[in-house]
Amino acid sequence: MVDLLTGFTSKIRAEARVNDQNAAFPVDTFHGFAKVGLMGASVPAELGGLGVSRLYDLAVGLRVLAEADASTALALHVQLSRALTLTYEWRHGTPDASALAERLLRAMATGEAAVCTGLKDSPGVVTTLTRDDSGGWRLSGRKTLVSMAPIGTHFFVHALWREGGDDAPRLTVPLLSRDVRGLTVLPDWDGLGMRASGTLEVDFDNCPVPESDVLDRGPVGSRRDAVLAGQTISSITMLGIYAGIAQAARDIAVEHCAKRGPDVPAGVRSAIAESDARLYALRTATAAALLNADQLNDKYTMDLDERGRRMMTPFQWAKMTVNDLALRVVTDSMSMVGGQAYSAGHPLARLYRDVRAGGFMQPYSYADGVDYLSGQALRLDRDNDYMSVRAVRSQTQS
């Protein structure tokens, strides 16, 4: 996987500035990924993929890619993580879920399917699933921050369904193909960072969904920490992206300073040494969390709630560490280079904007991460599923 990615990094690095300025998704690059099998890198080999299953290895690949362009790495992460969760459904899900997963995984392996995920509702919207008269479903709502959307062929959409009466609403994940009636990928994206990641809004206007293409995630507020395992698996490899951003910033700064010859000021020397120490710390924390998740990934015989917490907690320790230290490395790199790094077109300015995205990404955003980790330390009785908490909040607000 890394060898294949390395074959693209020169082109990706050369195009990163223009793509960032224009918020342009690198469609040709992803077509190239599809041709060599990278869109199926984490699809099991039995289904035609490269079979990269260790979270540690996938994070290394994303780090290599992020050193060239973090936006491209973020978009590829969407595909790689979906294959991981679909592999679980293929092996352990209901017959319908297993069949759906196999169909998609085989298409991902050949490069025919690019699978996006819609998690976050647009402001003021609650995306809902309702029964229709034919025994199927209808989906209505709007999702924001859907990465890789320009080339998405399929969309997993997190939605609420209320059967009726006083029953708690249920969390559901319907699958929709891009060409389904009522689905519109909205073209505008003017983000602060990750501008070339194809992170768009997707609108759903009474879209039909077959019964077999809906995954049931249980009632809102059920407080099942077992779900934390799947959330960890689908998100932890993003840590490699922010390690890659920090490494790229450090390398730019050190190369700039090295051109001064032996007369590098003492303050700059200190900044270089501290940046390297921070890089070591963030990569060590990332590696430990990834190895922990890999060790627990297949342990289904233990208490599943405990497994979920034991995967999520080190992930959040590492995420908080990486979000802090990566930003410090990028900021110090800008200081080492000086005023020219403050130009919008300078690569360090792009890295500074990109690295700040880490604190907003679930699970968990910074505020939610503080709530989770402090809750674990204090043994608080709380719902740790951020999708469930968000659903309760949206119901209250609506």
Side-chain angles (χ1 to χ4, degrees):
M1 178 183 66
V2 170
D3 288 345
L4 291 172
L5 286 169
T6 302
F8 290 91
T9 51
S10 295
K11 176 179 182 292
I12 291 169
R13 186 176 288 108
E15 296 175 350
R17 177 185 176 186
V18 172
N19 287 340
D20 175 73
Q21 288 176 335
N22 298 330
F25 185 79
V27 174
D28 289 345
T29 294
F30 277 79
H31 286 165
F33 287 168
K35 289 180 181 178
V36 301
L38 281 167
M39 295 295 278
S42 53
V43 173
E46 307 97 291
L47 301 181
L50 297 183
V52 184
S53 59
R54 293 178 73 241
L55 299 166
Y56 184 98
D57 295 339
L58 291 166
V60 169
L62 291 172
R63 190 205 77 220
V64 169
L65 188 53
E67 289 180 30
D69 179 40
S71 288
T72 303
L74 177 61
L76 184 60
H77 159 77
V78 172
Q79 180 84 344
L80 299 180
S81 66
R82 285 294 67 73
L84 292 176
T85 55
L86 283 168
T87 297
Y88 175 86
E89 295 292 349
W90 174 55
R91 289 180 171 146
H92 306 288
T94 65
D96 280 349
S98 180
L100 180 152
E102 180 172 347
R103 168 165 54 90
L104 274 181
L105 287 167
R106 289 188 182 279
M108 294 168 84
T110 61
E112 298 171 69
V115 184
C116 303
T117 302
L119 289 171
K120 184 175 177 58
D121 284 328
S122 296
V125 175
V126 178
T127 302
T128 57
L129 197 66
T130 56
R131 287 283 188 185
D132 64 16
D133 296 332
S134 65
W137 300 89
R138 296 281 174 170
L139 180 73
S140 293
R142 179 177 292 190
K143 293 294 183 178
T144 189
L145 301 176
V146 182
S147 297
M148 200 180 67
I151 62 167
T153 61
H154 298 79
F155 297 83
F156 278 110
V157 184
H158 289 246
L160 291 181
W161 169 56
R162 187 185 293 276
E163 189 170 10
D166 296 328
D167 292 341
R170 299 185 72 85
L171 297 167
T172 61
V173 187
L175 173 70
L176 294 90
S177 62
R178 189 187 187 97
D179 58 1
V180 71
R181 185 176 67 257
L183 187 154
T184 305
V185 178
L186 304 175
D188 297 330
W189 166 244
D190 192 21
L192 175 68
M194 299 292 189
R195 288 174 53 80
S197 61
T199 301
L200 304 175
E201 287 198 314
V202 184
D203 189 74
F204 309 95
D205 183 10
N206 207 31
C207 299
V209 185
E211 173 76 25
S212 60
D213 287 1
V214 176
L215 303 176
D216 184 5
R217 295 305 190 215
V220 168
S222 58
R223 300 197 179 194
R224 295 179 301 117
D225 281 353
V227 303
L228 302 181
Q231 292 172 0
T232 298
I233 290 165
S234 66
S235 300
I236 193 172
T237 58
M238 275 196 296
L239 295 178
I241 297 174
Y242 296 95
I245 293 173
Q247 184 68 55
R250 177 268 182 200
D251 291 347
I252 290 169
V254 169
E255 182 180 0
H256 173 85
C257 295
K259 293 177 181 177
R260 300 180 183 180
D263 299 323
V264 178
V268 173
R269 290 175 179 266
S270 295
I272 292 172
E274 289 174 356
S275 290
D276 282 351
R278 287 173 179 142
L279 267 172
Y280 182 80
L282 75 85
R283 288 177 66 165
T284 301
T286 298
L290 288 162
L291 290 170
N292 172 74
D294 276 325
Q295 289 168 356
L296 291 169
N297 197 358
D298 295 326
K299 294 188 182 299
Y300 301 116
T301 57
M302 65 183 293
D303 180 88
L304 295 183
D305 287 337
E306 177 66 16
R307 172 176 174 262
R309 293 187 292 270
R310 285 177 57 187
M311 293 178 79
M312 180 62 79
T313 301
F315 170 27
Q316 292 308 307
W317 287 332
K319 187 174 187 293
M320 194 168 284
T321 300
V322 169
N323 288 344
D324 177 33
L325 296 184
L327 177 58
R328 291 192 185 196
V329 170
V330 176
T331 302
D332 285 351
S333 296
M334 295 182 76
S335 297
M336 285 186 262
V337 170
Q340 61 184 287
Y342 196 65
S343 168
H346 196 280
L348 283 174
R350 170 169 49 83
L351 293 170
Y352 181 75
R353 288 183 282 104
D354 287 348
V355 78
R356 302 194 74 91
F360 297 96
M361 291 186 174
Q362 296 279 7
Y364 297 101
S365 64
Y366 177 76
D368 292 339
V370 168
D371 283 347
Y372 172 77
L373 289 174
S374 61
Q376 290 300 295
L378 297 170
R379 298 184 177 89
L380 301 182
D381 181 19
R382 62 187 302 274
D383 190 348
N384 294 312
D385 180 359
Y386 74 100
M387 294 302 300
S388 177
V389 171
R390 181 182 291 169
V392 171
R393 188 182 302 135
S394 68
Q395 290 287 295
T396 302
Q397 291 171 347
S398 63

